Amino acid sequence: METKPAQISGAASKTSRTIVLRGLLRLSKIRVFQHYFGLALAWLLLSPEALQRPGATTAMLLFLLGSVAIVACACASDDIAGFRNGSDLMNYQSDEQLRDIHAKPLLTGAVTERQALTFAVGSGFLAVPAGAAAFWALDWDAPFSAYALYLLGFAFSVQYSVGLRVSYRRGGGETLLCFSTAAGLLAPFLAVNRDWTWPAVAQALLLGLWLVMVSSYSNVNDVAGDRMAGRRTLAVTTGRTVQNAAMASFFLLSAGLLTALAMTGGWPGWLLLTALPATVLHAAQLYHGPVRGQWLRARKLGLIAYNLGFAGIAVPTFFALHR
């Protein structure tokens, strides 16, 4: 049977929509589940009494929706900026072995710049009512710090490459990544728990620091593209000695925070054992990066360490508060 032109056109249109949808999903980084470690830990850190609070579960689910929207808006905005200034094209070369260019749908043509911009704006608009609905579920009974952290975490996340372009200032990218990641844990935790705790602060800082220990290695590898785009990362604006010292400092600070958390009264001391695989991989980063110059391999180790570190503090947290 002969295929009609209308059928061909319809099939092509459906295929095109599928490609765009997949491209937008890649643009949102929704499959990068590490972005939601903070919310998972915030949920684990809540005391049994806080979990029984009316609206707690609904609020946490709405905060999850807000987190997805914030990440999508921030990541899409960053990709648009990288596409416009050419830095992504330079950093994601076709012969790059450890990076997948399909992670950048603007470069592959899966989505247009206009579609990406519409998606970023729409995600930003979703983040505000999602957060407001979460606080409403708690009858607006949350400390001011929870509101401030949610709004500031959202606002500054989007300013990474656009607006204030925080990452274009020396140390700005590292500071913003640490703060926004920490805010992703502390905002929902404070909203439901209504009070600060040392374990929550320590774990928020650890997540933020571990993410910086991924991006700092990417920045050394991307120094040429970032310099061309005017992004003043530590790798661009300092010598290799300073950059290596910063990486070593991040490692020592991470180990120190883990030790302090393990020594907290009522917290399992065996946390140091569950967090040991992450610490070992962070040490391996220093070897493969500063010592051998294998920056993308070191970055990959940092991502694995991020996963293992999350598990390494999540399990003791569960035993400390819910056993």
Side-chain angles (χ1 to χ4, degrees):
M1 184 176 63
E2 185 177 343
T3 303
K4 297 181 179 180
Q7 291 176 320
I8 297 175
S9 176
S13 177
K14 184 177 180 180
T15 301
S16 177
R17 287 195 298 269
T18 301
I19 292 173
V20 171
L21 178 60
R22 289 177 178 172
L24 292 176
L25 287 174
R26 287 182 179 273
L27 199 66
S28 73
K29 306 298 189 289
I30 193 170
R31 291 189 293 183
V32 184
F33 55 85
Q34 290 90 346
H35 287 303
Y36 313 110
F37 282 171
L39 188 81
L41 286 177
W43 215 322
L44 281 174
L45 283 160
L46 292 172
S47 67
E49 294 76 21
L51 286 171
Q52 294 301 317
R53 183 182 170 190
T57 300
T58 301
M60 294 301 283
L61 290 173
L62 287 166
F63 277 127
L64 174 60
L65 176 62
S67 296
V68 171
I70 290 172
V71 169
C73 181
C75 290
S77 299
D78 183 54
D79 274 18
I80 292 169
F83 177 73
R84 286 177 173 176
N85 61 34
S87 60
D88 278 353
L89 181 61
M90 179 173 289
N91 294 334
Y92 281 75
Q93 297 296 327
S94 59
D95 60 348
E96 191 70 79
Q97 294 182 355
L98 296 178
R99 278 188 169 177
D100 181 8
I101 197 171
H102 291 94
K104 297 290 182 179
L106 282 166
L107 293 183
T108 63
V111 298
T112 65
E113 185 178 339
R114 182 176 180 179
Q115 289 169 333
L117 185 60
T118 301
F119 178 75
V121 172
S123 298
F125 274 113
L126 175 60
V128 176
F135 286 107
W136 171 81
L138 298 169
D139 201 24
W140 305 104
D141 185 12
F144 173 77
S145 54
Y147 292 94
L149 283 169
Y150 184 83
L151 290 174
L152 290 175
F154 169 42
F156 281 103
S157 294
V158 179
Q159 306 296 317
Y160 185 79
S161 298
V162 299
L164 296 177
R165 302 204 308 170
V166 177
S167 67
Y168 284 72
R169 307 172 190 274
R170 181 186 293 182
E174 291 82 0
T175 303
L176 186 147
L177 281 175
C178 188
F179 168 76
S180 60
T181 303
L185 185 158
L186 289 172
F189 173 78
L190 286 170
V192 179
N193 197 67
R194 290 181 284 195
D195 199 10
W196 299 81
T197 66
W198 156 246
V201 173
Q203 292 188 27
L205 290 175
L206 280 168
L207 285 186
L209 184 61
W210 289 341
L211 192 57
V212 170
M213 292 168 76
V214 175
S215 69
S216 60
Y217 289 86
S218 291
N219 289 342
V220 178
N221 182 79
D222 298 345
V223 66
D226 287 340
R227 182 180 287 116
M228 180 199 71
R231 176 172 274 156
R232 292 169 51 81
T233 64
L234 286 179
V236 170
T237 60
T238 65
R240 186 61 56 82
T241 300
V242 174
Q243 181 69 40
N244 292 349
M247 292 173 173
S249 298
F250 297 152
F251 172 77
L252 292 174
L253 183 55
S254 170
L257 279 171
L258 284 170
T259 301
L261 182 59
M263 297 301 138
T264 301
W267 221 253
W270 46 265
L271 178 147
L272 292 177
L273 291 176
T274 57
L276 183 61
T279 303
V280 170
L281 284 182
H282 283 142
Q285 275 190 293
L286 292 175
Y287 171 71
H288 285 284
V291 176
R292 300 195 61 184
Q294 298 173 335
W295 302 107
L296 286 183
R297 186 173 299 278
R299 174 187 180 273
K300 185 175 182 180
L301 289 174
L303 283 171
I304 298 172
Y306 197 60
N307 296 337
L308 294 176
F310 164 73
I313 57 179
V315 173
T317 298
F318 173 78
F319 276 85
L321 295 174
H322 304 288
R323 289 282 291 180

